[in-house]
Amino acid sequence: MKFNTKTIHGGQENIDPAFGAVMPPIYQTTTYAQSAPGGHKGFEYSRSKNPTRSNLERAIASIENGKFGLAFSSGMAAIDAVIKLLKPGDEVIASSDLYGGTYRLFTTIFQDFGVKFHFINMSAPSNIEQHITKKTKLIWVETPTNPMMNILDIKSTVTIAKKYRVLLAVDNTFATPYLQQPLCLGADIVMHSATKYLGGHSDVVMGALVVNDEKLAKKLYFIQNASGAISGPQDCFLVLRGIKTLHIRMQRHCENGMAIAQFLNNHPKIKKVYYPGLENHPNHHIAKQQMTGFGGMLSFVPATEKLDEALKIIENLKVFTLAESLGGVESLAGHPATMTHASIPKSEREKNGIVDTLIRLSVGIEDVDDLIADLNQAIF
Ligand SMILES: *Cc1c(COP(=O)(O)O)cnc(C)c1O
């Protein structure tokens, strides 16, 4: 099956043997009748397994070209499950330019449990090798990064991870499997905040993991069941519905993203645009190799160095909504320094280029002429 068919049918064979419903029933149940103790049909208790969740987990595995999918109550819960594979004394190498919540989870929760995190610049994969020790168990990569849109070379990172037998996890939230499939490049774990593009309609918070290795899948399933951060059946239904249009939404996100990046790039009042599809992007060549398009996320720095003038641009926007989050059908604008990345200290932020005047856009699938007109009136 090709990708655009998988989004609709992947893992969805025989979903309702009872009545032939085309969409999977929402099994809003905690428990399942047993004919005798242990005599059940594969489902006992919905923390362990629920049919609607299983449908979604198969769909996510299918579009990521993986064997096993796991759905969690949020992206953070999915990341939390991955770090619970580790023990005190283990070390993790992560890119320094990371989703703020991931950085917060690593540094304020798991560091206290004795896991050591190295946050490094991964733009040159050889940097990773320098930080590998006997205790390194996991490399955590996000690409494109949030909000600087840096592209990390997944294939080269896989080579290093395999050489030292270290697990490689890729947060694929920004790219989605429509643009990039890390498991096919050799990564061990793909993670999603399904809250974003997979759900796609800004109405569900959910996370997911996909892996190929059965032993790893069993460990993660054990953690999912033991810790309990599962997603509910209604939410699973909504994300499953979202995935069915992922390919056409992503196609439009890419078209609109590129048009807006070019508009801003040519605007005299804009100093810098961060979008991997622009030829002036420092990692454009890697993006072209490992992605099939460049997505709907971009950041920019206005020419003004006055914070109030930069914030005024965001306030002037009418079609773009000022809000956290990303990946929905509607366009959003955000201010990383006070919103998504406020949990990262200013000095750390600025090391990674997140200046206080940086503005992030999640470009939606509205008519691009309206989006450009909106930006044009907002930038004064
Ligand atoms: C939103 C996001 C997360 C966290 O996911 P939640 O669903 O909000 O818990 C992790 N990584 C990236 C890149 C994100 O954008």
Side-chain angles (χ1 to χ4, degrees), residues 3-22:
F3 187 83
N4 297 350
T5 311
K6 279 185 178 175
T7 56
I8 297 164
H9 300 291
Q12 302 305 298
E13 300 80 21
N14 199 24
I15 49 162
D16 179 26
F19 302 110
V22 168

Side-chain angles (χ1 to χ4, degrees), residues 74-76 99 142 171 173-174 191 193 195-196 205-206 326:
S74 69
M76 292 320 303
Y99 176 71
E142 195 179 306
D171 182 336
T173 300
F174 270 38
M191 174 262 152
S193 168
T195 313
K196 316 295 168 53
V205 174
M206 194 187 291
L326 61 108

Side-chain angles (χ1 to χ4, degrees), residues 171-281:
D171 182 336
N172 206 26
T173 300
F174 270 38
T176 83
Y178 179 77
L179 299 178
Q180 152 182 304
Q181 296 174 355
L183 295 180
C184 295
L185 298 174
D188 300 290
I189 302 173
V190 164
M191 174 262 152
H192 274 281
S193 168
T195 313
K196 316 295 168 53
Y197 287 106
L198 297 190
H201 296 75
S202 307
D203 51 10
V204 190
V205 174
M206 194 187 291
L209 298 176
V210 184
V211 301
N212 270 325
D213 181 72
E214 191 170 0
K215 252 170 87 184
L216 182 58
K218 281 192 170 146
K219 280 189 200 167
L220 289 167
Y221 171 73
F222 183 86
I223 294 167
Q224 183 195 38
N225 183 42
S227 291
I230 47 121
S231 49
Q234 295 270 356
D235 287 351
C236 289
F237 175 87
L238 284 172
V239 171
L240 196 55
R241 184 167 77 163
I243 287 174
K244 286 176 192 286
T245 56
L246 179 66
H247 52 297
I248 47 173
R249 284 187 285 111
M250 287 310 292
Q251 188 181 358
R252 183 61 64 84
H253 282 298
C254 290
E255 287 166 16
N256 287 0
M258 181 62 101
I260 287 174
Q262 282 167 343
F263 164 77
L264 293 171
N265 199 39
N266 294 326
H267 198 290
K269 297 223 165 127
I270 301 301
K271 186 167 145 197
K272 187 109 186 71
V273 182
Y274 300 93
Y275 185 69
L278 292 177
E279 274 173 30
N280 65 14
H281 185 285

